[in-house]
Amino acid sequence: MSLLFPPALLSRIETSGIIAVLVIDRVADALPTAEALAAGGIDVIELALRTPESLAALREIKKRFPSLLVGAGTILSPAQIPQVLDAGADFAVAPGCNPRVLAAASAAGLPFGPGIVTPSDIEAAVENGCNLLKFFPAEPSGGLSYLKNMTAPYAHLGLRYVPLGGISETTAAPYLAEPSVAALGGSWIAPRDLIQKQDFVEIAARAQRARTLVLKTRAAR
């Protein structure tokens, strides 16, 4: 099997330009959060498996909003692969490049984006058939300049990247202008504290600003 993101799925992510990264503590907050993001124009989500309610929240979002593209994040063990597939995940990502997790995702046919932060990570991902890689943590690791220099030897492979970690609304534009960046992991759009406070109006406003930034930046690149 393969870990590749097929062309239609990759195109959908590139068109969105932003993957809203969510940590949901209460299942009751899942649908209002997804609705706020969709209202603001964000239709690709990474729901991090960091709380006991994560899988249930993922299942609820996919059931209610089947047109949203929902990925499972923070995949740390092979056992999570069948769980997220059963919950309806369209893809999955991880903070690192665990070969056992990659093997499980490949066997299940689940498009998978491992986390990379070194050339060795990239080569391990390529060896396992990946084409979309999560650059994490982006800003603490050197930001866009580091990403461009690290990935230069692999440019001919056509790999695409999703930077995440430390990026904000005010620092997003240069990443979006980089041709190798498929999308940004937007953890600032619906942060955990806003979800907990149920400030869905602010989440929708942030989503709309992020979507506007994608359209403006991508039109100029």
Side-chain angles (χ1 to χ4, degrees):
M1 301 296 290
S2 173
L3 295 165
L4 293 174
F5 281 65
L9 181 58
L10 188 57
S11 176
R12 176 87 179 272
I13 290 171
E14 291 174 336
T15 298
S16 175
I18 296 283
I19 301 173
V21 180
L22 312 180
V23 177
I24 293 181
D25 294 279
R26 300 180 299 252
V27 175
D29 293 333
L31 296 185
T33 301
E35 189 171 27
L37 291 168
I42 300 296
D43 62 355
V44 183
I45 292 170
E46 174 196 331
L47 205 161
L49 302 189
R50 299 183 191 175
T51 74
E53 303 296 336
S54 298
L55 282 171
L58 193 160
R59 189 184 304 276
E60 284 296 303
I61 291 173
K62 279 303 294 185
K63 181 179 178 180
R64 175 63 179 81
F65 299 102
S67 63
L68 290 181
L69 200 61
V70 182
T74 320
I75 303 297
L76 304 179
S77 74
Q80 291 174 299
I81 299 299
Q83 293 174 348
V84 300
L85 278 171
D86 182 67
D90 298 296
F91 64 93
V93 296
C97 199
N98 185 324
R100 293 177 60 242
V101 172
L102 293 179
S106 178
L110 178 65
F112 196 89
I116 58 96
V117 77
T118 68
S120 294
D121 293 336
I122 293 176
E123 293 183 20
V126 170
E127 181 73 15
N128 282 276
C130 301
N131 62 343
L132 184 68
L133 313 180
K134 179 177 179 177
F135 173 43
F136 177 83
E139 284 292 286
S141 300
L144 182 58
S145 175
Y146 176 75
L147 175 66
K148 290 166 72 172
N149 280 279
M150 174 180 63
T151 60
Y154 311 101
H156 63 290
L157 300 179
L159 302 172
R160 309 305 302 280
Y161 302 93
V162 178
L164 170 64
I167 302 169
S168 68
E169 184 175 347
T170 58
T171 60
Y175 285 96
L176 290 168
E178 166 57 33
S180 67
V181 170
L184 284 184
S187 55
W188 76 89
I189 299 169
R192 193 173 189 173
D193 63 326
L194 283 186
I195 296 174
Q196 290 173 336
K197 290 188 293 186
Q198 299 184 322
D199 193 347
F200 304 118
V201 172
E202 175 62 17
I203 290 171
R206 292 186 180 201
Q208 186 173 45
R209 291 199 300 270
R211 183 61 187 151
T212 299
L213 181 63
V214 169
L215 295 174
K216 179 181 177 180
T217 307
R218 291 281 171 88
R221 81 177 188 181

